[in-house]
Amino acid sequence: MESKYPPGYRFMPTDEELISDYLLTKIDNRPLAADVIQVVNFSDHGPDYLSREYPPVGDKEWYFFTPRIRKYAKGSRPNRTAGNGFWKASCADKDIKFNNKIIGHKMTLVFHEGISSKDGIKTDWIMHEYTAIHPSRNKRDADDNMKLDDWVICRIHKNVSKSSSANKRRANLLENQQQQEQVAVGENRQEEEEQVAVREN
């Protein structure tokens, strides 16, 4: 995607702007202020695939419009599977207000590789999911019983965790130690060879 902004500008909307100016506008089928948010089916792909296939918007973040599908036909829980894993909520919903009125919610989720929470491997991928409060409950197609919402916004980014940084530092230290040991072994061997040569002479 080509940049929609002049040099120095970034796409960095607030939570309120994402819901009021983008999500509600998309739900109402009105023209968007900027056509920079990709449309995908989030349940088909994991974040590694999405980050490879689509360029980041803003500061190493990816924004997507996606429908939410029910996990069960008669339930209200969304299907959280995505490609080779699943998204798992890490905290409760946060109310998003505009002019002192709640217009939607924000949920934070973490991506896990695997099939279930029992064997899932936690990754550094974080998602913020934005849902809107809308008179139609965001659902226009009454025949699609599995659709929970027509559209939500998902913003993903990869978190550089302290544990990852610490592991990287430990690996670098270990590599440096191994290199120093190899140098020391080489110097000792050379010194022994020189002593042998002196004795033979």
Side-chain angles (χ1 to χ4, degrees):
M1 180 188 298
E2 294 183 3
S3 175
K4 305 289 183 179
Y5 310 99
Y9 284 78
R10 298 291 184 271
F11 183 73
M12 297 181 65
T14 63
D15 294 342
E16 296 85 355
E17 290 168 340
L18 275 175
I19 293 178
S20 63
D21 296 329
Y22 290 91
L23 183 52
L24 286 171
T25 300
K26 181 72 172 178
I27 292 171
D28 288 335
N29 290 322
R30 292 182 283 120
L32 295 168
D35 187 18
V36 296
I37 302 179
Q38 302 282 354
V39 175
V40 300
N41 190 332
F42 230 64
S43 61
D44 290 343
H45 307 293
D48 285 322
Y49 173 88
L50 294 172
S51 62
R52 288 195 308 267
E53 293 297 312
Y54 299 97
V57 180
D59 187 15
K60 295 183 180 179
E61 295 181 321
W62 290 260
Y63 292 78
F64 300 99
F65 285 119
T66 183
R68 280 204 311 174
I69 308 300
R70 300 178 190 274
K71 186 173 183 178
Y72 305 108
K74 295 183 179 180
S76 59
R77 292 178 60 188
N79 179 19
R80 294 299 187 189
T81 59
N84 64 331
F86 58 92
W87 292 97
K88 184 176 181 180
S90 62
C91 60
D93 284 3
K94 174 186 174 183
D95 293 339
I96 304 300
K97 296 182 179 180
F98 181 72
N99 291 334
N100 295 321
K101 178 182 178 182
I102 297 176
I103 60 172
H105 303 283
K106 172 185 176 181
M107 176 177 279
T108 301
L109 304 97
V110 179
F111 187 73
H112 292 68
E113 294 178 346
I115 300 175
S116 67
S117 57
K118 292 182 180 181
D119 62 359
I121 301 173
K122 184 178 179 181
T123 72
D124 291 329
W125 282 105
I126 308 296
M127 174 173 73
H128 295 139
E129 179 186 77
Y130 296 86
T131 56
I133 295 176
H134 195 275
S136 68
R137 295 182 61 82
N138 305 353
K139 188 174 183 299
R140 299 182 181 277
D141 188 357
D143 295 330
D144 190 351
N145 292 327
M146 293 302 291
K147 185 177 289 186
L148 190 59
D149 301 283
D150 268 357
W151 300 112
V152 300
I153 289 179
C154 295
R155 180 179 70 190
I156 65 174
H157 70 277
K158 198 165 190 178
N159 186 37
V160 180
S161 65
K162 292 182 180 179
S163 59
S164 297
S165 299
N167 290 336
K168 193 172 294 185
R169 286 196 297 271
R170 283 195 294 269
N172 290 336
L173 287 173
L174 180 60
E175 183 179 357
N176 290 335
Q177 290 175 355
Q178 291 174 342
Q179 290 176 351
Q180 291 174 0
E181 290 174 355
Q182 290 175 355
V183 170
V185 169
E187 291 177 347
N188 291 337
R189 182 180 296 120
Q190 183 178 0
E191 184 177 351
E192 290 174 357
E193 290 175 353
E194 290 177 350
Q195 290 177 353
V196 170
V198 169
R199 286 197 296 269
E200 290 177 350
N201 292 333

